[in-house]
Amino acid sequence: ADGRRAARAMRAASEALHSCGARGARDGRRARTARGRRATLRAALATASSSSIAPPPLTCAAAAAEARAVLRTIRKSSVESPVPRRVRVELPLPRADAQDGDEDAIVYLGVHGQAADWSGGMAQRLRVTKRLIENDMLDGYNDSTEYLGLLDRDADGMGVWKVGSSMTCVTHPSDTTMEYLVKLARGDYGKTVTEKSHILVVVNAFWSGNGESVGQPWEFQLKRDAKALLSEWSWEKVYACRRTRSAAGVEGTLVRRYPGRWMLFNANGSSVVREWDDEPSNREIAESLNEDAGRPEVVGWNRDAANTSRDDDVMT
């Protein structure tokens, strides 16, 4: 009897030890699982933090929608804030000969689509830009948006929109049509645009410098007026989306979303190649793209032509 009692006691002790071991193992597994989950969460948060920069848009419509968000931010700001009131927007344009499915894709076409085959000239360019502005950039303003047609009979490509009483949009002002932008800003077409709180948006402007190339050589007053207009206001580019390409054939996308910095993305938009506070030059963009891709620069850029050959060095 004593032996049976001892055996039962030993079995009970063994089972108790086994149970404690199992519970300990389960607790250990739970602890390791919890630690693993916490590590995974930390990694996910770190990834989310590092990928907080929005990638560049893939379509012209998406770029115009981003411009809409920037303009809404500016409109909501107070008059006393340092937010600019005379601003520029640079929208990408689709290929003129795009096939089905690619008619809205952002591709390299030079600045403002200069390399596209615009057989219809500024009239065709205005039709394409008008669609992006009305369908995407000014979408959501409902009945407050009104297209008023060309700013002037001879203002080639300069369409104008009234957005309530607080904003005016005009397209394609250039050195040759600067006269009409000067009149608009001066209030010749209506005094509302001269109010301090009014926002004047120019889309895909083509002017150069501060009015030095405006008009004809003998139009001295126009040149003075243009210089005053372009130098008095900063005309900050609050939104820009431009597909770029170096002479070595490396592509990227340059994006600026006010109040953020200028960002140059690699070809597929997966990473930021470089950032700037101010708009970079074409040379800075090309050098950054080539360096990121490990691509040497082509002859004619900053290499001595005497050290190159037609067989090994080709400029695209």
Side-chain angles (χ1 to χ4, degrees):
D2 292 339
R4 285 195 296 271
R5 284 195 296 272
R8 284 197 298 271
M10 291 182 64
R11 281 198 301 271
S14 177
E15 289 172 359
L17 288 172
H18 178 73
S19 176
C20 290
R23 284 197 300 271
R26 285 196 297 271
D27 292 342
R29 285 195 296 271
R30 290 193 188 101
R32 287 193 296 272
T33 302
R35 286 195 297 270
R37 287 172 180 167
R38 286 194 295 271
T40 302
L41 179 59
R42 284 194 298 269
L45 290 174
T47 302
S49 176
S50 64
S51 62
S52 59
I53 299 175
L58 300 179
T59 64
C60 299
E66 287 190 346
R68 176 188 62 200
V70 169
L71 292 177
R72 283 188 179 275
T73 299
I74 294 175
R75 289 190 75 196
K76 291 178 180 178
S77 62
S78 64
V79 178
E80 290 74 21
S81 67
V83 173
R85 297 282 161 175
R86 300 290 185 267
V87 299
R88 298 174 65 176
V89 168
E90 183 181 327
L91 295 180
L93 299 179
R95 289 181 54 179
D97 58 347
Q99 303 298 319
D100 292 343
D102 293 329
E103 55 272 359
D104 194 39
I106 296 178
V107 296
Y108 174 73
L109 293 174
V111 180
H112 309 319
Q114 292 181 103
D117 183 18
W118 300 107
S119 56
M122 289 302 299
Q124 181 185 6
R125 191 192 300 264
L126 175 58
R127 285 197 299 270
V128 175
T129 308
K130 181 175 181 289
R131 182 176 69 247
L132 290 173
I133 290 176
E134 293 181 344
N135 293 350
D136 301 287
M137 194 181 87
L138 298 182
D139 180 42
Y141 288 98
N142 301 322
D143 296 335
S144 65
T145 302
E146 182 181 0
Y147 178 59
L148 304 177
L150 289 180
L151 182 59
D152 196 278
R153 180 179 60 184
D154 297 323
D156 194 19
M158 294 185 68
V160 61
W161 287 259
K162 180 180 70 172
V163 186
S165 60
S166 62
M167 187 166 72
T168 300
C169 295
V170 62
T171 58
H172 306 129
S174 64
D175 291 335
T176 58
T177 57
M178 181 58 65
E179 171 188 359
Y180 308 108
L181 182 62
V182 170
K183 290 181 177 179
L184 175 65
R186 193 168 55 199
D188 290 6
Y189 300 111
K191 297 298 182 181
T192 303
V193 74
T194 64
E195 296 177 359
K196 184 179 179 181
S197 61
H198 197 82
I199 301 169
L200 179 57
V201 183
V202 294
V203 180
N204 290 358
F206 287 98
W207 69 66
S208 55
N210 286 327
E212 299 86 355
S213 302
V214 166
Q216 300 297 333
W218 56 85
E219 293 181 299
F220 303 113
Q221 186 59 50
L222 175 59
K223 291 179 181 292
R224 285 193 290 268
D225 293 342
K227 183 178 181 179
L229 174 65
L230 299 181
S231 58
E232 178 183 0
W233 303 94
S234 64
W235 294 100
E236 182 175 355
K237 279 189 182 178
V238 294
Y239 182 80
C241 179
R242 184 193 314 161
R243 189 68 175 177
T244 62
R245 179 191 293 171
S246 72
V250 183
E251 292 197 3
T253 305
L254 182 68
V255 178
R256 199 276 166 117
R257 307 171 178 107
Y258 178 88
R261 307 179 74 195
W262 290 81
M263 294 186 178
L264 179 63
F265 293 84
N266 61 359
N268 60 14
S270 61
S271 65
V272 178
V273 174
R274 190 175 172 186
E275 298 181 27
W276 295 269
D277 290 327
D278 300 314
E279 182 176 0
S281 65
N282 290 335
R283 184 185 183 104
E284 289 176 310
I285 294 172
E287 289 177 344
S288 300
L289 289 174
N290 289 339
E291 181 181 357
D292 181 69
R295 189 76 61 86
E297 294 176 344
V298 298
V299 58
W301 192 253
N302 62 4
R303 294 170 58 194
D304 187 353
N307 298 326
T308 63
S309 69
R310 290 178 181 269
D311 295 331
D312 300 328
D313 300 278
V314 179
M315 179 177 284
T316 58

